[in-house]
Structure formats: C-alpha cells, structure tokens
C-alpha cells in the first residue's frame, strides 16, 4: 500500500468504526478530501487511491489547480468549503458541484443567478455559526429559518447544514445541535467533522466529513 492509500484506509476505518458504534451504515458518510494548500502531485496520489470527492476553500486556488486534473478525472466531485464572496459566485458555480458555505441572503441571490446562467445547480449546504463566534463564517442560528426559506424559494438545491465547532471546545454538543437544526428543517445532509473529530461527528449523524491533514499528512 502507498502511504496515501494507507492514510485513506485509516480515515475510512475511523469512519466505519464510528458508524458501527452508532449503528449507521458507513456508506452513508461521504469523505471529502480537503486539498487546500496541497500540490497537484499530492492530490494525484490521493486520486490514485480511489477518492473522488475533494474540497477547496479558495476559488482562485481551485481555478489554478483543478481544471487540468478534472480533464483527466471527470468523475471527481469538487466541494467548496471556504468563505464565498458574492462576486465569486459565478466562478464557484462553474467549477464546484457542492457548496458547503451558504451563509447569507445576498449569497442566495448570487448563487441563484449564477446557477440559472450556468444551467447548472450545485448542491448547497447552509453553514451555521454553531458556536456563535464573532469572527466565524456561518449564519447566526437565529437567522437560519429565514435563510432556509429563502434558499428554498430561490430554487437552490439545498441539501443540508454545515458547521465548524469552536476550536477550543469538545465538539459533540455542537454537532448534536447542528443535527437537531437540520432535522427541524427537514434537511438530511450534515457536513461536519474534520481530521481531529471524525468520530463524534459520524456518531452524531454526519453525512459528509471534510478531511484534510489526516488524508494528506502522515500522522
Ligand atoms: C481545512 C478545512 C478542513 C480540513 O481540516 P483538517 O483538520 O485538516 O482535516 C475542513 N473543513 C474546512 C472548512 C476547512 O477549511
């Protein structure tokens, strides 16, 4: 096994063990390899192991790296996981299949327009500022009902909620809260969990974990 294959194997084993403990089907959890800051050869190594979902957090960096890779791997699904400026919405819709960071009304409008123009509708998660942190991306919990309604009326393909819990705390109660909010709004998708907290995220219902360092670096 190559080092990259062994890292993916370990991530899959962590997801599977957590899913089993929660009596969930491991196949219901998508692993998104977050490749921000990684070089094309590093990414190609992971592609060679079979992963087909990758995430980036900057539109420009993704535009520089991915079109060439996608030309030889058209089955890859690209996920946008960073803060999205409204003036980058059209570029994001052109390149990405899934957007995890819808967090405000102006972006609903920009993504709606871009989708119509491109004739292509990305799947969208609303990012929630689940720990109510000042500087963090994500919509305030109090604004979520309005933003869900707006996204649905704009005909976006709203699939779920995404959050990044506060860095200095146990993530479990935040993941549980996100799951509760998603259920309240009839949303099935839960994008939560990164390298350090895959297990609690999967146990509490994650349908997509966004994994960077555990996949790209020897631990
Ligand atoms: C970088 C990043 C990740 C991956 O983080 P790791 O701790 O390296 O797994 C996940 N989600 C978002 C939004 C990120 O920016």
């Amino acid at each position: 096994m190559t080092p990259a294959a062994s890292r993916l194997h370990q991530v899959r084993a962590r997801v599977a063990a957590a899913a089993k403990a929660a009596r969930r089907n491991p196949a219901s959890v998508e692993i998104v390899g977050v490749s921000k800051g990684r070089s094309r050869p590093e990414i190609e190594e992971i592609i060679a192991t079979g992963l087909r979902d990758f995430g980036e957090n900057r539109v420009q960096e993704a535009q520089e790296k991915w079109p060439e890779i996608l030309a030889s791997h058209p089955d890859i699904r690209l996920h946008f996981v960073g803060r999205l400026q409204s003036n980058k919405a059209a570029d994001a819709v052109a390149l990405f299949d899934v957007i995890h960071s819808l967090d405000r009304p102006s972006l609903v409008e920009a993504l709606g327009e871009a989708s119509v123009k491109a004739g292509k509708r990305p799947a969208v998660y609303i990012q929630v500022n689940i720990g109510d942190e000042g500087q963090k991306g994500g919509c305030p919990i109090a604004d979520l009902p309005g933003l869900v309604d707006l996204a649905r009326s704009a005909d976006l393909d709203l699939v779920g909620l995404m959050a990044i819990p506060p860095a200095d705390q146990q993530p479990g109660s935040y993941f549980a809260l996100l799951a509760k909010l998603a259920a309240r709004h009839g949303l099935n998708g839960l994008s939560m969990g990164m390298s350090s907290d895959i297990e609690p995220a999967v146990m509490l219902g994650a349908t997509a974990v966004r994994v960077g360092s555990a996949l790209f670096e020897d631990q």
Side-chain angles (χ1 to χ4, degrees):
M1 229 192 267
T2 64
S6 138
R7 292 193 301 264
L8 178 59
H9 181 78
Q10 277 181 36
V11 169
R12 286 206 170 117
R14 289 175 62 189
V15 168
K20 194 172 167 214
R23 298 174 189 271
R24 298 186 57 205
N25 178 358
S28 66
V29 187
E30 179 175 74
I31 295 167
V32 179
V34 180
S35 52
K36 66 183 186 217
R38 311 294 173 181
S39 67
R40 183 165 166 185
E42 287 176 285
I43 295 171
E44 301 266 9
E45 265 182 18
I46 305 291
I47 294 173
T49 68
L51 195 69
R52 286 295 176 272
D53 285 275
F54 288 88
E56 292 281 344
N57 71 343
R58 293 180 52 226
V59 173
Q60 192 184 334
E61 180 184 341
Q63 285 174 321
E64 286 160 13
K65 280 194 314 208
W66 279 97
E68 272 188 62
I69 308 177
L70 292 174
S72 41
H73 299 283
D75 56 334
I76 284 176
R77 283 169 19 109
L78 267 195
H79 299 246
F80 187 76
V81 302
R83 278 204 188 186
L84 187 54
Q85 295 171 268
S86 296
N87 64 7
K88 293 279 171 71
D91 288 342
V93 167
L95 186 57
F96 292 93
D97 303 292
V98 188
I99 291 174
H100 291 241
S101 49
L102 171 60
D103 64 356
R104 57 192 189 278
S106 60
L107 198 50
V108 170
E109 198 176 317
L111 287 173
E113 265 177 37
S115 302
V116 169
K117 270 193 196 148
K120 179 184 174 217
R121 260 172 20 136
V124 173
Y125 292 86
I126 291 178
Q127 181 176 353
V128 182
N129 186 353
I130 200 76
D132 198 17
E133 296 171 279
Q135 284 303 301
K136 198 87 155 236
C139 94
I141 293 175
D143 296 353
L144 181 61
L147 195 57
V148 168
D149 286 349
L150 193 65
R152 285 186 166 139
S153 67
D155 203 25
L156 294 182
D157 181 17
L158 183 64
V159 297
L161 302 181
M162 179 273 223
I164 306 170
D168 51 353
Q169 287 170 49
Q170 293 291 329
S173 61
Y174 297 100
F175 291 150
L177 176 57
L178 194 71
K180 193 171 111 184
L181 293 171
R184 184 180 297 165
H185 292 287
L187 292 164
N188 296 321
L190 281 173
S191 170
M192 60 188 198
M194 319 201 292
S195 295
S196 61
D197 51 23
I198 289 174
E199 287 83 357
V202 169
M203 293 190 65
L204 291 163
T207 60
V209 290
R210 308 175 311 271
V211 183
S213 47
L215 198 58
F216 285 93
E217 292 164 27
D218 287 318
Q219 304 287 296

